[in-house]
Amino acid sequence: MRNRIRRHKTFLKSSLLYFLTILLGTMVLPKAKAQVKPVDAEGHEWWQHAVFYEIYPRSFADSNNDGVGDLNGIASKLDYLKKLGVDAIWITPCYPSPQVDFGYDVSDYENIDPMYGTLADFERLASEAHKRNIRIIMDFVMNHTSDQHPWFKESRSSRDNPKRDWYIWRDGKGPGQPPNNWESTFGGSAWQFDPTTGQYYYHYFYKQQPDLNWRNPDVEKAMFDVTRWWYQRGVAGFRLDAVDTLFEDPDLHNNPILPGKNQYGDPNMANVYNTKLPELHGVLQRLRKVADEYDAVLIGETWTKNIAELKQYYGEDNNELQMPMDFLFTKVDKLSPDEFRKQIAGVNAAGWPVYVLSNHDIVRAYVRYGDGVHNDAIAKVMAGLYLTLRGTPIMYYGEEIGMTNNDPKRRQDVKDPIGKLGWPKDKGRDGERTPMQWNTSENAGFSETKPWLPVPASYKTHNVETELKNPDSILNFYKRVLALRHDDAALRDGDYVALNKNDHNVLSYLRRYKDEAVLVALNMSSSAQQVSFDLRAQGIKADMASTLLTTMKTNQEKAALRSITLEPFSVYIGKIEE
Ligand code: NOJ
């Protein structure tokens, strides 16, 4: 009897302990979230006030003159970035890699490729960046590893290896026949036969990039631990590579074939069974919980077809990606106020917008929007647009000096494998990845040796040193607009209010914050435009604006809102005088 009572008491005690643990747990969990610190009264977080800048490390600055950029090179340019107005740098993969996809084939997630330096170099870069209040964002290649990663080497070694299920292995349909019709986005079948075990493995990208099996909890754990490892080394967040493709239909249904062929000669296909599967949102929610413990930000490489798809990436409760990139914005490929207006309204309704003009996979904005005659003026119009919108901009290195694409002229010069395969329809991505143009010396001051990719002739005029000396340069315009963005509460935190919505030449809007308002008017046409603003509908009686920044030659201190003449391809930014 006594024993039974004691047992009962022990049970009560342990239940109480269990209950207390659960209670404490629920009290502790929100605390982890509470580490996320707002930086203003609106509850905005640091990444909402920050300007991000993408660095392709191979091409930014070469400190050891081997023709390839490196971490010490980046460290040597931190003062430049600080003065430019950059708050966070996203470094594309600099981990050990066979470099088949220039770093997007990672063979060790917790180290630095010797070509870029060492972990000690990384730590020095992190500490120098920290001193300047610049945060570091790493690239998280989570869909796939390199085929040289030890996990894959184990996985392919035998069918019963414990790592076998870390990747997607399947039997073929018959001799020489892959398991289904899925295509690699980089050309050919997405299945590669491996003779060692007589099965196929799945790769959405190159065959040297086998897809991880995110249905396996051990994969999730190992990959989440990678993020912790970097957070503990001071990293402020990740740009998540290829999130759309994390999951595949386990039943391997064939994708529907569409009419026509793609640039690699494969039939067009709707990737309905191997992209954007609902399961990926669970992974993002759990990854976000880890990020929140470190006040970190998750940026998504989110290629969405429409705003509804983009909205899903924020999470129903804003519990997935804080910063899914809006690539729909990059798809507005002409200077069309109407199309930009539509796009901006859409993303504003979806969540906190994240704007990019281009990146290491997209032709540079300078040529996409340029008309070949007014490219510099147009580059300022585009900067005047996405750097004054509500949202977070992610710049691409060299954009601030008007770097152009330098596409290979001959197939034998192409470095990017898809450029070789797709030539001449698809020349690959070398053109947008050329070395940063620092000055007029040989190799644009990037390196004393021949760089891995050639610099375009435009480096003589479009480089940091030359542009710093010219008050009208693209670079000085970027510096001014970024300074304004940091200083002005309306540009930083204000709402976006579209104005003159029927104007097909001029895109204009207000940024409103409390009783402050800033007017932005962008003439996207090649002729002068007369614009008139009646802000009474916004509850604003003022009829004057004081000029904050303009690219116009006839630069006046004030502008009458009822009649502003905008020069061709010009930017006007003014504070509404109330
Ligand atoms: C997207 C990256 O931006 C691109 O450069 C890469 O080739 C693929 N993902 C595969 O990782």
Side-chain angles (χ1 to χ4, degrees), residues 57-190:
R58 292 181 79 85
S59 298
F60 197 59
D62 177 14
S63 76
N64 61 353
N65 293 311
D66 61 356
V68 174
D70 45 53
L71 297 188
N72 287 338
I74 299 175
S76 72
K77 302 297 184 187
L78 287 172
D79 285 333
Y80 163 75
L81 294 170
K82 186 71 199 170
K83 285 187 198 139
L84 174 59
V86 167
D87 307 291
I89 51 175
W90 148 35
I91 308 175
T92 64
C94 51
Y95 316 106
S97 159
Q99 304 288 327
V100 171
D101 193 15
F102 299 109
Y104 281 97
D105 44 329
V106 179
S107 53
D108 178 358
Y109 286 95
E110 296 176 354
N111 213 333
I112 297 293
D113 193 299
M115 133 187 333
Y116 297 125
T118 61
L119 264 180
D121 293 333
F122 176 82
E123 274 156 24
R124 196 172 69 83
L125 171 65
S127 110
E128 289 300 317
H130 185 74
K131 278 186 207 157
R132 292 162 179 83
N133 212 8
I134 294 178
R135 288 173 159 95
I136 296 186
I137 305 296
M138 296 295 266
D139 213 305
F140 190 37
V141 188
M142 57 191 298
N143 175 71
H144 49 269
T145 67
S146 158
D147 62 349
Q148 298 308 307
H149 195 291
W151 297 341
F152 188 70
K153 285 186 176 171
E154 275 194 52
S155 184
R156 80 186 328 175
S157 65
S158 73
R159 288 197 186 201
D160 54 9
N161 183 280
K163 294 261 179 338
R164 183 67 171 183
D165 185 49
W166 282 42
Y167 294 84
I168 321 274
W169 291 97
R170 290 288 195 286
D171 290 330
K173 269 200 190 143
Q177 283 181 43
N180 69 7
N181 76 348
W182 296 350
E183 289 167 357
S184 159
T185 193
F186 285 164
S189 168

Side-chain angles (χ1 to χ4, degrees), residues 22 34 42 164 257 371 395 398 416 430 518:
I22 297 285
E42 270 50 57
R164 183 67 171 183
I257 304 281
D371 63 357
M395 296 167 58
D416 186 10
D430 294 354
V518 167

